[in-house]
Amino acid sequence: MADIRIIGENLSNMPWQDKPADCVTPVWRYSENPVIGRNPLPNVARIFNSAVLPYEDGFIGVFRGEQRDGIPHIYLGRSKDAVHWEFDPEKIPFTDKNGEPFMPKYAYDPRLVKVEDTYYIMWCQDMFGPTIGVAVTKDFRTFTRVENPFLPYNRNAVLFPRKINGNFVMLSRPCDNGHTAFGDIFISESKDMEFWGRHRHVMGRSENWWESLKIGGGAAPIETDKGWLMLYHGVVNTCNGYVYSIGAAILDINEPSKVLHRCSNYILAPEEWYEERGFVPNVCFPCATLHDAETGRIAIYYGCADSYVGIAFTTVQELWDYIIKYDKLQKDDDKIGMR
Ligand code: BMA
């Protein structure tokens, strides 16, 4: 099969374990999972659905911390090795553009994406119902909230790591005010991170049962010479509730509302105790990757059972080969997504 390579920076210090000899799947779990256990902070019972990036000589991340009052907020964490994390004891002190403190009523499922010299955090927060909140930082000391990009209701927003055709580009998933029993991935563009438009449909739920109820953006897409590698979550409704798995697709590099390839199989689904058992069982929820352009290695950071953070490994070549082997576009996937 054709070779594929990541376009981007090298990250030789990212966590890594080789594929076990007996592994038959395209993704394998870190042997020390989960990397964040219960009660990581005095007022935080669980950390999950969190995003990390390289920063200075180590790593930094934004973490969904479920407090003991049950309300989620975002906590900052730092790490030398992207496995062992130290968290700030207090939630991130956002300010508005006038420098006044701004604390959302709740904040969950944060993503962290660097575009040019600026770091963007996006999460789900209240605006008369769930929608997307965004803040910017350059130094991880001040965090300035910018305008909410979308009307309610919306979840699962994640920026692309560079502008495309001169615009910021963000995936999101319009939803309802509850546990949303539907949902497709959409894409929107902005010149300034304030005014958003050119909304397009990227991909819908599919005839594959693991993603038949809803899908939503996960990690920031990875740039490759074959297109954007998008890792996302797909949900099936069972007689015992929703099950969240991780899927993979390749989007057109200049027109990412067009899907070029889509894997009909999930690449990771709940199997281990920390994925199957927890506050919400059977959830694998990807929010970030670390990746190394030189070797093609990818570490997927994913929330496990709304209780833990796990890491799973793969390479861009493994994923590409698997996507192509099980490639099946759904109706309209390859279209621009505008009606
Ligand atoms: C979704 C989000 C996620 C969560 C998942 C499973 O709707 O709220 O934060 O992991 O449900 O509970």
Side-chain angles (χ1 to χ4, degrees), residues 49 64 108-109 244 280 283 285 306:
N49 300 3
R64 171 175 174 161
Y108 61 80
D109 299 353
Y244 284 69
V280 179
V283 180
F285 195 91
D306 286 11

Side-chain angles (χ1 to χ4, degrees), residues 170-192:
M170 186 139 66
L171 299 172
S172 75
R173 213 280 306 288
C175 61
D176 69 14
N177 198 4
H179 297 298
T180 314
F182 63 89
D184 295 350
I185 299 177
F186 288 78
I187 198 167
S188 309
E189 296 182 32
S190 174
K191 293 212 173 305
D192 54 8

Side-chain angles (χ1 to χ4, degrees), residues 21-319:
D22 58 352
C23 176
V24 296
T25 53
V27 172
W28 53 101
R29 293 164 177 84
Y30 180 47
S31 59
E32 305 303 311
N33 272 355
V35 294
I36 302 170
R38 299 260 179 159
N39 301 310
L41 284 170
N43 193 38
V44 173
R46 302 181 307 279
I47 280 181
F48 54 99
N49 300 3
S50 302
V52 305
L53 274 183
Y55 185 62
E56 295 179 338
D57 61 345
F59 299 88
I60 202 153
V62 290
F63 293 83
R64 171 175 174 161
E66 216 84 338
Q67 303 177 153
R68 281 179 213 293
D69 57 6
I71 299 175
H73 277 283
I74 306 173
Y75 289 74
L76 194 70
R78 294 171 195 270
S79 175
K80 286 276 175 240
D81 60 5
V83 173
H84 303 90
W85 291 90
E86 282 192 16
F87 303 107
D88 288 355
E90 301 300 333
K91 37 194 187 240
I92 290 182
F94 297 107
T95 55
D96 64 20
K97 52 182 176 243
N98 301 318
E100 299 296 327
F102 164 75
M103 191 52 71
K105 261 170 68 180
Y106 58 76
Y108 61 80
D109 299 353
R111 292 3 185 239
L112 177 64
V113 184
K114 187 180 184 196
V115 183
E116 296 164 3
D117 64 346
T118 304
Y119 295 87
Y120 297 87
I121 306 170
M122 56 237 77
W123 65 87
C124 180
Q125 71 164 33
D126 174 67
M127 188 179 84
F128 303 90
T131 192
I132 305 304
V134 177
V136 304
T137 184
K138 290 196 176 187
D139 57 8
F140 290 96
R141 278 190 279 273
T142 56
F143 301 85
T144 310
R145 182 256 178 116
V146 297
E147 294 283 336
N148 296 338
F150 309 126
L151 294 170
Y153 310 123
N154 204 314
R155 294 190 180 100
N156 298 306
V158 60
L159 266 180
F160 282 67
R162 69 163 169 84
K163 292 179 182 169
I164 302 174
N165 305 318
N167 290 339
F168 292 97
V169 181
M170 186 139 66
L171 299 172
S172 75
R173 213 280 306 288
C175 61
D176 69 14
N177 198 4
H179 297 298
T180 314
F182 63 89
D184 295 350
I185 299 177
F186 288 78
I187 198 167
S188 309
E189 296 182 32
S190 174
K191 293 212 173 305
D192 54 8
M193 284 297 291
E194 178 163 348
F195 296 96
W196 290 85
R198 284 198 190 158
H199 309 291
R200 307 278 188 264
H201 184 266
V202 179
M203 267 174 30
R205 298 145 267 189
S206 84
E207 63 196 26
N208 308 310
W209 285 16
W210 67 270
E211 55 170 359
S212 54
L213 185 77
K214 57 179 170 177
I215 59 173
I222 300 172
E223 185 166 7
T224 78
D225 61 350
K226 300 274 192 291
W228 294 102
L229 170 59
M230 179 179 74
L231 302 184
Y232 64 100
H233 70 257
V235 184
V236 60
N237 195 12
T238 73
C239 56
N240 278 324
Y242 292 179
V243 176
Y244 284 69
S245 304
I246 304 179
I250 302 280
L251 311 180
D252 186 272
I253 204 76
N254 295 316
E255 194 68 71
S257 70
K258 290 186 187 167
V259 185
L260 304 181
H261 305 283
R262 176 173 182 171
C263 192
S264 51
N265 288 355
Y266 55 73
I267 60 161
L268 191 91
E271 285 175 7
E272 293 291 337
W273 66 265
Y274 50 87
E275 299 161 348
E276 292 181 333
R277 201 169 78 219
F279 191 75
V280 179
N282 298 316
V283 180
C284 292
F285 195 91
C287 289
T289 62
L290 295 175
H291 44 269
D292 176 37
E294 189 176 6
T295 58
R297 292 173 174 176
I298 298 173
I300 304 168
Y301 284 74
Y302 66 109
C304 310
D306 286 11
S307 301
Y308 310 100
V309 171
I311 303 175
F313 299 114
T314 186
T315 67
V316 71
Q317 191 68 49
E318 287 262 0
L319 277 187

